[in-house]
Amino acid sequence: MKGITTSRMKTIDENCEHLGLKGLQLMENAGAAIAHEVKERIQKGNVLIVAGRGNNGGDAFVAARHLVYDPAITVNIALIGSASGIRTQDSMHNFALLEHCRIEGFIEITDPQQLKATRWLDDADLIVDALLGTGITGKLRETEATVIDLINDSKVPVVAVDVPSGFDPEGGKFDRSVRADITLTFHRMKKGLASDHAKEYTSEVKVINIGVCEDAETYVGKGDIAAFRTRSRDSHKGQHGRMLIIGGGPYSGAPALTAMAALRTGADIVTVAAPANVADIIASFSPNIIVKALSSNILCEKDIDTVAKLIEGHDVVVMGMGLGRDERTKDTVSKIVPLCKKVVVDADGLYGIALPVPEDIEMIITPHAGEFTALGGNGKEDALEFSKKNNVTVLLKGKEDHISNGERVAINHTGNPGMTVGGTGDVLAGITGALFAIAPAMDAACGAAYINGVAGDLAFERWGHGLLATDIIDMITEVMK
Ligand SMILES: NC(=O)C1=CN([C@@H]2O[C@H](COP(=O)(O)OP(=O)(O)OC[C@H]3O[C@@H](n4cnc5c(N)ncnc54)[C@H](O)[C@@H]3O)[C@@H](O)[C@H]2O)[C@H](O)CC1
Ligand SMILES: [K+]
């Protein structure tokens, strides 16, 4: 079973919040499950909870409240750091409730020797490891590392909360980690726990349902763009994506819309390679767009060397809009795809690609229903199978967009009927390419569908059915705030 990444889990958490399912509710379910597991393992005795200052610790504070309800169980809590340093509201909330419970002993640890001095490790019948969960970042700090060694040296059975503390949820190798008898991981298997070296750190893993509603996982929500909204202060030019658009010919507006949408989504550099007859028109739309004129008035074989050189200097290619469907153009598109690392293909470009996509190319296609059928797709229910079979991420546009990378399907239900106006597909392709330059295909396609739809909804509020594709572009930054 492939596990999910921490960022995917964060997205689900944020989508839960937006659906009205609070983190505190999820924490309560997580903590109750921990308490249940502890009781399965010891009917009576001493439980030592080793807690960190994040939500991993918060889960254990809930478990403590549930456990001490049973007079046969005593609970001692060792918190790494000070209670005033508890980092999250949910964890602090559950810590405060412990004032009203029969907790045997509580200590704030700044020096691991303090834990040794309590002898709680010697007297414990079971340890709940709630030091660190998916919030671990970078090299293990000294206090935590020594406490982990003390836990392992104690030989006391360990129930790990979400992931063994110190273990990398993403599957990398960290220097030290708790060795658990069982790990209770919440909602979905984590990528690291599905890796073959996980066995060294936990004898068993149980996936615990904590009541996440399905739509938080299936529907694309604000959580799906969280990663795109923050920017590190020390960003440098080009870090947020250099995009090459190959478009235009019979049409000139389409690639310009794609370019402006990409810039508004945050792409640093956008170059449009367009047939000579429309190059100046596209350049005239905005000084923000770099335009390279190709050889004639349609994309053709003679342009391949020029395009190949341009591809080298960009992170992602977006191809198709406004190209027209001349046989020479379709043939040239099929020859350009193998030169790309990451490519978004839309509109007329879809008539030139060969499926399945070669393994070494990451492709997102953004067809509407008719284009999907022309590619051999069989309606929105086929998105998962089609993407798996063809090694392509599909953003199938419709009243609800269906997005799949062959592993899962996401549904975007933002957007409105006003968006049938020409050019919205060009805008979507530009947003998709800008995100694809800095994120995996599925995250980029989901994020783009959401941003495009919400920007369209904001434009609808302002202009109703009279909204234009350029209005959607103007709303992109509003959505990404
Ligand atoms: N839907 C869910 O998945 C739920 C998850 N829950 C639990 O939440 C944790 C993740 O919580 P988070 O606050 O993000 O972080 P952690 O508690 O895992 O860790 C942060 C904590 O650890 C310190 N820290 C970070 N890196 C290091 C390091 N290298 N060395 C030492 N210390 C480090 C940091 O300072 C913080 O204090 C998840 O695992 C679940 O257990 C929800 O409660 C339920 C729903
Ligand atoms: K843990």
Side-chain angles (χ1 to χ4, degrees):
M1 165 200 310
K2 278 188 79 171
I4 64 169
T5 62
T6 304
S7 76
R8 179 75 191 123
M9 196 64 235
K10 276 207 176 83
T11 297
I12 293 166
D13 270 347
E14 291 222 13
N15 288 342
C16 282
E17 285 284 337
H18 293 293
L19 293 172
L21 180 55
K22 298 290 167 220
L24 216 45
Q25 294 172 270
L26 296 174
M27 185 175 277
E28 193 68 22
N29 294 339
I34 297 162
H36 179 77
E37 183 64 34
V38 169
K39 288 295 301 299
E40 290 270 293
R41 288 173 175 264
I42 59 164
Q43 281 63 48
K44 64 184 177 56
N46 303 325
V47 175
L48 169 58
I49 289 179
V50 183
R53 296 187 303 279
N55 279 342
N56 199 244
D59 296 347
F61 297 149
V62 172
R65 178 167 25 96
H66 287 242
L67 280 168
V68 292
Y69 194 73
D70 179 338
I73 298 279
T74 63
V75 172
N76 288 304
I77 298 179
L79 173 68
I80 306 297
S82 65
S84 58
I86 290 176
R87 292 183 168 220
T88 68
Q89 252 183 341
D90 293 352
S91 188
M92 185 59 94
H93 180 93
N94 280 300
F95 178 76
L97 288 173
L98 294 178
E99 303 287 314
H100 310 291
C101 302
R102 186 181 43 80
I103 301 296
E104 190 74 8
F106 169 68
I107 183 172
E108 296 168 310
I109 291 189
T110 45
D111 174 347
Q113 295 315 317
Q114 292 168 284
L115 177 56
K116 270 182 104 166
T118 61
R119 300 193 57 74
W120 290 345
L121 280 164
D122 308 321
D123 304 341
D125 298 298
L126 189 136
I127 294 173
V128 172
D129 158 35
L131 207 51
L132 283 164
T134 55
I136 184 166
T137 50
K139 200 163 159 26
L140 210 48
R141 284 180 220 139
E142 197 25 64
T143 310
E144 285 76 3
T146 307
V147 168
I148 286 170
D149 291 345
L150 290 174
I151 291 171
N152 289 336
D153 297 345
S154 71
K155 305 285 178 250
V156 173
V158 176
V159 172
V161 176
D162 207 24
V163 286
S165 295
F167 182 80
D168 177 9
E170 304 294 291
K173 288 276 253 188
F174 269 63
D175 47 3
R176 281 177 8 221
S177 165
V178 161
R179 279 172 174 62
D181 296 69
I182 183 167
T183 296
L184 304 185
T185 196
F186 304 122
H187 179 58
R188 290 274 179 227
M189 176 58 85
K190 300 305 178 298
K191 194 174 150 198
L193 291 173
S195 63
D196 43 21
H197 68 264
K199 273 258 171 291
E200 293 166 49
Y201 298 98
T202 180
S203 316
E204 196 187 341
V205 180
K206 243 187 216 169
V207 179
I208 303 290
N209 171 18
I210 51 174
V212 169
C213 30
E214 281 172 307
D215 286 356
E217 207 157 28
T218 316
Y219 272 35
V220 175
K222 211 161 185 178
D224 289 277
I225 64 167
F228 301 121
R229 288 160 55 204
T230 47
R231 271 202 175 183
S232 55
R233 293 177 57 79
D234 56 2
S235 304
H236 56 76
K237 192 166 193 54
Q239 182 183 350
H240 294 283
R242 296 160 302 178
M243 178 191 298
L244 173 66
I245 296 167
I246 304 171
Y251 304 96
S252 58
L257 290 169
T258 303
M260 291 313 293
L263 288 164
R264 282 285 181 230
T265 306
D268 282 338
I269 310 260
V270 175
T271 306
V272 177
N277 60 318
V278 292
D280 291 345
I281 302 169
I282 294 168
S284 68
F285 281 120
S286 165
N288 297 296
I289 312 173
I290 305 162
V291 182
K292 293 280 180 216
L294 296 173
S295 62
S296 64
N297 60 358
I298 56 161
L299 177 71
C300 60
E301 183 95 17
K302 282 184 293 177
D303 300 320
I304 291 182
D305 289 349
T306 313
V307 166
K309 283 195 193 69
L310 286 169
I311 289 173
E312 285 303 307
H314 293 81
D315 305 300
V316 67
V317 175
V318 177
M319 178 158 59
M321 50 292 304
L323 284 177
R325 289 194 214 163
D326 182 291
E327 284 309 316
R328 291 164 293 172
T329 299
K330 290 198 278 189
D331 180 53
T332 307
V333 164
S334 69
K335 292 193 171 88
I336 289 173
V337 167
L339 307 174
C340 303
K341 300 178 287 297
K342 289 186 166 188
V343 59
V344 177
V345 183
D346 178 43
D348 294 336
L350 293 168
Y351 294 88
I353 58 173
L355 294 174
V357 176
E359 278 305 315
D360 58 343
I361 294 169
E362 276 189 279
M363 182 186 286
I364 300 174
I365 58 173
T366 55
H368 54 56
E371 290 160 339
F372 189 54
T373 308
L375 283 166
N378 188 11
K380 59 190 178 190
E381 296 70 26
D382 184 27
L384 183 75
E385 277 317 305
F386 180 93
S387 35
K388 198 186 300 182
K389 193 170 61 185
N390 292 301
N391 179 39
V392 66
T393 294
V394 180
L395 197 177
L396 175 56
K397 298 179 284 195
K399 186 170 171 303
E400 285 191 340
D401 306 318
H402 282 242
I403 305 136
S404 181
N405 60 350
E407 287 167 20
R408 69 182 178 92
V409 180
I411 299 173
N412 173 55
H413 54 120
T414 63
N416 60 77
M419 293 172 70
T420 49
V421 66
T424 51
D426 305 320
V427 171
L428 174 64
I431 299 171
T432 307
L435 301 185
F436 195 18
I438 54 172
M442 186 63 179
D443 297 351
C446 290
Y450 182 80
I451 292 168
N452 191 53
V454 174
D457 290 341
L458 293 175
F460 187 79
E461 273 171 34
R462 177 84 177 67
W463 287 284
H465 284 284
L467 74 88
L468 306 173
T470 43
D471 300 326
I472 298 174
I473 293 173
D474 293 346
M475 291 295 175
I476 290 170
T477 49
E478 197 59 34
V479 181
M480 295 183 77
K481 262 190 184 145

